[in-house]
Amino acid sequence: MARILISFFCKDNAENVSPFLYGQYDRAFYISFEGEGPDSRSKEVLETLIYKRFGAQAVFLSAEENTLGCAYRLLYDLTDGDDEYVIDITGGPGLFSAAAGIYISTNEKKNVFLSTFDIKTGRETVHYPQQKIIDKGGSLTVDELISLSGGAVISASKTMKQITGSSALRTEAVRMWDAVKSASYDWNRFCSMPNMRDGAKVNRKLSRADDKKTCERITGLLRRRGIIKNERFYTSDSGKLFLEYELCPKAKTVELYEKSGTALELFAFLAAVESGAFSDAATGVLLDLDGLITKKKGDPRNEIDLAAVYGKRLVLMSCKCTKPTKEYLYEILTMARQYGGKHAIPALICSEPAFEPVRERAREMGVILIDNAANLSLKMLKDELLKHFPIN
């Protein structure tokens, strides 16, 4: 006997796939009214994920008329068998829900069930034949949730498995952030200077009058932490000033010393992973906007500092070694909607404290804001994350 899902197609694919996180289905019928069905890309994404992850077939049906009677007849025809049928009314229009309710109340079939799924709470509610709430189910990965909105993960600099499996990486992430967090302005300036690396040796080109003072402050912090050694300034044959230094042998993660945001990014990633709130996470995530990776120069793509899965929802975080601004809030909110749909959670982590108008704007926009991270220990940042992402 097969188990069949019957659902009204939703514009948000995360809702379409939710039933598969709570139970096994052999086939899924997605119903839509004329003009409200999926486009070819959305259909392809859903078909591919359901087959690849759950081994089931997705079938798309279009109702002949946008009427209660037509929806009722379609439900009647689809459940005319001895299989087990689950009618999912999550996200569907009132007309479809009404048809499902009438159908359930006027038939005495023991093999037809009615349920809804709440992505925000992570719960399934069975409404018929006996009402019950199921609050445990599977989870999708970062890659899968992004694919449901039509995007694709091209690469990630670090994954959850990599950071949990490397004590050296963990130690270095904490050490590096502790070294530069008190000098975020100088650290941003330092990392913006063009650099050339040959093995452990790094050369940075200085161009502004006060670049030397900036370099002296940062190299002092890094040297005292045992991160660099043998730093010196020299003038090239063309009269340009350069800084040369060597990374110490224990400086394993070279990218930490090339982008200013990476130190906070990896520190926040470590806190997120160790908080236990997220089932999957990745940092330095390069994304393709339409999911069609062509490798052409103009192919639209973005980079997300930190992506994670909280319950059934995608979390996208931006990490900034500076004060939070309204522009940063709009930026991460836009990215969250593009790559995670309406249920995605946008978050912004900044090293410096926010002005009150920015805090208020974050609340209004629904963006989680964690500021003043430079004054947070790893444990404090974990606790701050758990305030916003409690473990149920």
Side-chain angles (χ1 to χ4, degrees):
M1 183 177 70
R3 193 162 189 255
I4 311 297
L5 172 70
I6 302 171
S7 180
F8 198 92
F9 176 80
C10 304
K11 296 298 182 183
D12 194 296
N13 266 335
E15 293 184 354
N16 293 322
V17 81
S18 286
F20 285 91
L21 301 177
Y22 296 88
Q24 185 174 349
Y25 294 93
D26 300 285
R27 190 178 302 112
F29 289 102
Y30 291 100
I31 302 170
S32 59
F33 291 125
E34 191 66 34
E36 298 178 2
D39 57 28
S40 58
R41 176 61 182 156
S42 185
K43 185 184 295 186
E44 178 189 7
V45 163
L46 196 55
E47 284 176 331
T48 301
L49 178 61
I50 287 177
Y51 180 77
K52 184 177 179 180
R53 174 70 186 273
F54 305 105
Q57 178 188 13
V59 180
F60 299 89
L61 301 174
S62 180
E64 294 178 358
E65 300 174 354
N66 191 345
T67 64
L68 182 65
C70 185
Y72 180 93
R73 288 192 300 273
L74 198 51
L75 289 174
Y76 185 90
D77 292 341
L78 288 174
T79 56
D80 187 23
D82 296 325
D83 295 320
E84 181 179 310
Y85 303 94
V86 176
I87 301 174
D88 166 35
I89 57 174
T90 305
L95 196 62
F96 180 76
S97 299
I102 295 171
Y103 176 74
I104 287 292
S105 63
T106 56
N107 288 273
E108 297 183 355
K109 292 184 176 182
K110 304 297 184 183
N111 60 335
V112 181
F113 303 86
L114 185 67
S115 67
T116 57
F117 301 86
D118 189 332
I119 291 180
K120 289 187 177 181
T121 63
R123 293 176 177 175
E124 173 192 16
T125 302
V126 178
H127 299 276
Y128 181 87
Q130 181 180 355
Q131 186 156 349
K132 60 180 179 178
I133 296 176
I134 303 170
D135 60 3
K136 289 185 179 181
S139 293
L140 297 173
T141 65
V142 167
D143 294 46
E144 289 169 337
L145 281 170
I146 288 172
S147 75
L148 286 175
S149 290
V153 174
I154 300 171
S155 63
S157 65
K158 295 289 179 291
T159 63
M160 180 180 279
K161 184 178 180 180
Q162 287 174 308
I163 202 164
T164 55
S166 173
S167 59
L169 176 57
R170 182 191 188 281
T171 299
E172 189 165 6
V174 175
R175 181 176 56 136
M176 187 62 192
W177 177 239
D178 284 346
V180 301
K181 66 183 182 181
S182 62
S184 58
Y185 177 78
D186 288 327
W187 177 239
N188 288 339
R189 285 274 308 278
F190 181 79
C191 288
S192 69
M193 298 175 193
N195 74 89
M196 299 163 287
R197 184 166 53 85
D198 182 10
K201 189 171 289 187
V202 181
N203 286 267
R204 289 189 181 273
K205 181 182 177 182
L206 284 63
S207 53
R208 291 171 50 170
D210 57 349
D211 277 353
K212 187 175 181 180
K213 289 184 178 180
T214 297
C215 289
E216 287 173 340
R217 284 191 287 267
I218 293 301
T219 54
L221 292 170
L222 298 180
R223 185 187 346 101
R224 286 192 290 274
R225 295 280 180 172
I227 295 170
I228 68 169
K229 61 182 181 179
N230 299 333
E231 69 270 21
R232 72 180 182 95
F233 293 97
Y234 69 92
T235 303
S236 68
D237 294 340
S238 61
K240 301 294 184 182
L241 184 62
F242 283 82
L243 165 70
E244 179 183 84
Y245 57 90
E246 291 180 54
L247 295 175
C248 291
K250 60 183 178 181
K252 306 295 184 184
T253 314
V254 174
E255 63 265 27
L256 274 174
Y257 316 100
E258 295 183 343
K259 285 175 54 184
S260 63
T262 309
L264 175 57
E265 179 183 313
L266 199 54
F267 185 73
F269 179 54
L270 178 61
V273 170
E274 293 191 356
S275 72
F278 306 98
S279 59
D280 189 28
T283 186
V285 185
L286 187 61
L287 302 170
D288 185 88
L289 183 60
D290 59 9
L292 304 175
I293 303 172
T294 64
K295 297 185 179 179
K296 293 180 180 178
K297 191 174 182 179
D299 198 13
R301 55 185 57 183
N302 295 103
E303 187 172 354
I304 286 289
D305 295 331
L306 204 165
V309 178
Y310 177 65
K312 308 294 184 289
R313 306 169 72 186
L314 181 69
V315 182
L316 295 183
M317 300 187 192
S318 177
C319 301
K320 303 288 186 182
C321 282
T322 184
K323 277 188 174 295
T325 66
K326 294 176 183 178
E327 289 73 22
Y328 293 152
L329 296 175
Y330 284 110
E331 177 185 66
I332 191 58
L333 179 62
T334 300
M335 295 278 278
R337 293 295 171 263
Q338 279 184 332
Y339 290 103
K342 67 181 182 181
H343 295 293
I345 304 172
L348 176 63
I349 301 178
C350 289
S351 61
E352 298 182 25
F355 293 118
E356 188 54 39
V358 177
R359 293 181 195 275
E360 181 60 31
R361 181 61 60 90
R363 285 190 288 268
E364 292 173 356
M365 295 170 63
V367 177
I368 291 172
L369 174 61
I370 298 176
D371 65 332
N372 204 21
N375 288 320
L376 300 179
S377 66
L378 183 61
K379 182 183 183 306
M380 292 166 69
L381 183 53
K382 290 180 199 175
D383 291 341
E384 194 66 29
L385 285 168
L386 287 171
K387 289 179 185 177
H388 301 284
F389 304 100
I391 300 173
N392 296 324

